[in-house]
Amino acid sequence: MRVHKLTIAAMALAAGLSLTACQNDDDGTDRGAASPAASAASSTGGSGSTGSDQQGGRDADGKSPAGGGGDGTTATGGSGGSGGSGENGKAAKCRTDELEITAIDATVGGDDRGTVAVDLKNGGGRDCSLAGHAGVDLKTDSGTLSAERTGEPAPSVVLKDGERITFGITYPINDSGGSGVRITGLVVTPPDETKSVTLDWPGGATLPVTDGSGTPVQVGPLGSAGQGG
């Protein structure tokens, strides 16, 4: 009889334990739910966003925050040009006041014509352009004599500051034995300019007297008498 009671008691204890286990499983608690701490971490760290739209550096209102990398306009400088550039990026023409103009005797022994080389040096502090022929006049004791062009093609050149170009003047040598026409000065007008420069004449002192049928004084194009550096 004692054995039977012990068996019944053991069965009752086992039944109680089983009932308790069933109640724990059915108490409405989701064992798979994350803890409050884990949920908080997920709400702040999951997507990496902290309340602003990180794409393009914009905030929640669609504005780019100060210092952000949004698509704001970046200021850029305009295309710079040379201080000597004129219209369409071309160098402006050389002015008479910007040119250092000198002349030397360049006659080669044995030539039947004399030569004077006129040098134009850019001293204007900027690039400038020259095109065509310079104007040349000889001042004489009989009046002014204008040189004729040789008819050679006239180039267009750009002189950088400090560069130079030379052209030549040719004239008939007075070997007639007479006094001839005395030359008192050289007047040079740069291409496409109206202001002239008067220089000492470095060539032969006189020209032969002519009735106009002789060899004229002629001026060549830029570069016709060599170009200096």
Side-chain angles (χ1 to χ4, degrees):
M1 188 66 174
R2 182 178 178 82
V3 173
H4 183 66
K5 289 180 178 181
L6 290 175
T7 299
I8 292 174
M11 291 176 63
L13 178 60
L17 292 175
S18 176
L19 179 60
T20 300
C22 291
Q23 289 175 347
N24 287 338
D25 289 340
D26 298 332
D27 63 0
T29 301
D30 183 4
R31 293 295 181 181
S35 67
S39 297
S42 175
S43 67
T44 59
S47 65
S49 172
T50 58
S52 65
D53 179 4
Q54 297 297 322
Q55 183 177 2
R58 297 178 182 274
D59 61 17
D61 294 328
K63 299 180 180 179
S64 179
D71 59 355
T73 302
T74 302
T76 57
S79 57
S82 169
S85 294
E87 189 176 356
N88 299 324
K90 296 180 180 179
K93 70 177 183 179
C94 300
R95 299 292 186 180
T96 301
D97 292 339
E98 298 175 312
L99 297 171
E100 300 172 18
I101 304 176
T102 56
I104 61 170
D105 182 15
T107 303
V108 176
D111 283 356
D112 58 355
R113 289 173 60 81
T115 301
V116 166
V118 178
D119 193 76
L120 305 178
K121 181 179 179 181
N122 180 8
R126 65 182 180 95
D127 295 356
C128 65
S129 63
L130 290 168
H133 289 78
V136 170
D137 297 293
L138 300 187
K139 298 174 70 175
T140 75
D141 58 0
S142 299
T144 299
L145 175 65
S146 295
E148 299 178 5
R149 296 177 180 179
T150 60
E152 299 174 71
S156 176
V157 298
V158 174
L159 291 183
K160 294 185 180 299
D161 184 40
E163 287 186 340
R164 67 186 68 199
I165 193 166
T166 305
F167 67 88
I169 303 169
T170 56
Y171 61 94
I173 296 175
N174 182 18
D175 55 6
S176 65
S179 59
V181 177
R182 185 167 61 89
I183 303 173
T184 60
L186 169 64
V187 181
V188 177
T189 307
D192 202 25
E193 276 288 274
T194 57
K195 185 175 182 179
S196 302
V197 173
T198 300
L199 308 171
D200 292 335
W201 173 252
T206 63
L207 297 173
V209 176
T210 177
D211 57 6
S213 60
T215 303
V217 177
Q218 292 184 307
V219 54
L222 299 173
S224 61
Q227 184 171 348

